[in-house]
Structures are given as structure tokens and as C-alpha cells.
Amino acid sequence: MDITLFYREKGNGEPFVLLHGNREDSSYFKHQIEYFCDRYRVIAPDTRGHGKSPRGTSPFTIRQFSCDLYDFMKNHQIPKAVILGFSDGANIAMRFAMKHPDMVTALILNGGNLDAKGVKRSTQLPIEIGYKIAKYFAKRSAEANKNAELLGLMVNDPDIEPEELAQITAPTLVICGTKDMIREDHTRKIAENIPNARLAILEGDHFVANKRSEEFNREVDRFLESL
């Protein structure tokens, strides 16, 4: 690993890793960190090029981020963990769980998608336009290049085929909001293609874990207590 990821950690017990979304950092999960730290060792890293983690020189892709997570867990002597991913974090979690099923105790996927078609067109179209503009100016501006890389994650990634999800063996909870930017039928497709996955649709938008944290945490808690 060419960089060292910044992370927040609180509590003791079984490791519980939280993966944030695009353009965010570990502080997104402040309500989850406080809620679960009395029973778990909650660890929330900043993804490569996000928050306080450096960009490094490796590819800026969901696949690379899942490799970073593997190295992070190995470096911190975490053989296995409950993993909760939000948005791009859910996409990283899916990639990781498919490649390293033995390192995942349980999986919670909130607002993830398999490809750009899973995002509602009203949300995705401005992203695609912004990506083309940022990419055009990327060679002239470091800021534009950074913007192009971030938007590129939502245009070119995570590129997962539904059939690949059968590789996930951990107990899985798939969560979305009633007004999520991810299409509900797409979220249902994710849940249907992961063996024995559970689906929960909560009142709220894409950011339900942050905006409606009490309801979200209770849903996650019920899932974990049932295992």
C-alpha cells in the first residue's frame, strides 16, 4: 500500500468497519460510531483521496479502494469484521466481500449500486455532464483533475454484474431510503442476487444513515442481533 489511511476508532469488541461515500469522510458516520461503540470496536477510515487520507499514486477506482481496505485490515490486525458501506462505501464493500468472503462477518449495504444505470437519471445526468467538463480541463487544473476522478467513480464504477454477487457469503442487509437517488428496483436487484440477503427500505433519502440515524441504527442493530 503506497499510503496510510486516516481513520477514527472507538470502542472494544468485534471489529465493525464503516466505509463512507463519495466526497465524504469518516465523520459522516458520527451517529453510528457513538451508537455501536459500546459493543463493537468501530473503525471508520477515510478512503484514498478523501478526508485526511492522501491520494497516493495508485488507481482511483472502487477496485483499488477495496484493495486498500484489505491492506488496512491486515495492517491493523483485523482478520474479520462487520462491514457497513454507504454509497461508494457500499460498492467498495461489495467488491471486498466478493474477493475476501472469509474476512467479512456480516455486511450492511446502504445506497450502493452495481453501475451508473442504477442511479436515477435526474441525478446521474448532471454527474455525467460534470465529469465530461472536469475531464476536459483535468490536464490544466489540479482541482479539475481531482473533480474528474471523484465524478469518474460515479460514471465508470463499480461495474459489478448481478451474477457476481453470488460470491458474497456473509449475512447481508441491504438498505435504501424511500426517496433514494438509487432506483428502488436496482436496490431490490442487489438484494435478490446476494444469497439470503435481507432488504430494508426506510423513510428518507440517500443519506438516511445520517439524517434518520435512530431508525437506521435500530434496523442495523436488529439485523446484527439476529445473527
Side-chain angles (χ1 to χ4, degrees):
M1 193 172 183
D2 62 327
I3 58 170
T4 299
L5 298 180
F6 172 84
Y7 66 99
R8 302 169 195 269
E9 180 175 350
K10 191 170 184 178
N12 298 290
E14 183 179 4
F16 192 162
V17 176
L18 308 176
L19 305 173
H20 64 80
N22 195 298
R23 295 180 183 271
E24 294 161 354
D25 58 41
S26 50
S27 65
Y28 176 81
F29 289 114
K30 60 183 179 180
H31 301 302
Q32 284 69 47
I33 292 171
E34 292 303 318
Y35 183 88
F36 289 104
C37 70
D38 62 336
R39 285 160 292 157
Y40 294 89
R41 176 190 172 194
V42 185
I43 306 157
D46 286 356
T47 302
R48 174 186 294 270
H50 292 70
K52 296 181 181 179
S53 290
R55 162 65 179 83
T57 57
S58 296
F60 204 72
T61 63
I62 296 297
R63 286 179 184 273
Q64 178 61 50
F65 298 164
S66 71
C67 292
D68 291 345
L69 176 60
Y70 175 83
D71 289 340
F72 177 84
M73 289 177 64
K74 287 293 185 181
N75 291 341
H76 289 84
Q77 299 180 333
I78 305 170
K80 198 169 188 177
V82 175
I83 298 178
L84 188 163
F86 162 64
S87 200
D88 268 1
N91 302 340
I92 297 167
M94 282 189 278
R95 278 280 174 213
F96 182 83
M98 289 189 295
K99 190 171 183 179
H100 306 288
D102 58 323
M103 296 179 70
V104 185
T105 304
L107 190 64
I108 301 102
L109 304 172
N110 173 215
N113 62 297
L114 304 179
D115 51 43
K117 293 178 182 178
V119 182
K120 291 178 179 175
R121 197 59 188 159
S122 58
T123 299
Q124 186 64 17
L125 184 58
I127 291 172
E128 292 176 358
I129 294 172
Y131 173 63
K132 289 180 180 179
I133 295 171
K135 198 173 179 182
Y136 179 79
F137 289 104
K139 291 183 179 180
R140 310 179 207 177
S141 163
E143 188 62 31
N145 183 63
K146 180 180 179 180
N147 198 32
E149 286 196 320
L150 288 166
L151 291 171
L153 293 172
M154 296 185 281
V155 175
N156 305 313
D157 267 321
D159 192 26
I160 297 172
E161 294 295 332
E163 300 76 31
E164 293 182 82
L165 296 176
Q167 300 172 48
I168 296 175
T169 59
T172 302
L173 173 65
V174 179
I175 308 180
C176 70
T178 53
K179 300 179 178 66
D180 210 299
M181 60 183 267
I182 305 299
R183 294 180 6 238
E184 186 177 314
D185 64 323
H186 189 81
T187 299
R188 289 183 180 278
K189 180 165 67 174
I190 292 173
E192 289 166 1
N193 281 275
I194 296 175
N196 302 312
R198 305 183 196 181
L199 174 66
I201 301 176
L202 307 181
E203 186 67 35
D205 61 17
H206 191 56
F207 305 96
V208 65
N210 189 272
K211 294 180 179 178
R212 300 181 65 89
S213 60
E214 289 186 13
E215 183 180 359
F216 180 89
N217 291 343
R218 282 197 301 268
E219 192 68 43
V220 172
D221 221 358
R222 279 194 291 269
F223 166 67
L224 293 175
E225 287 180 352
S226 71
L227 302 180

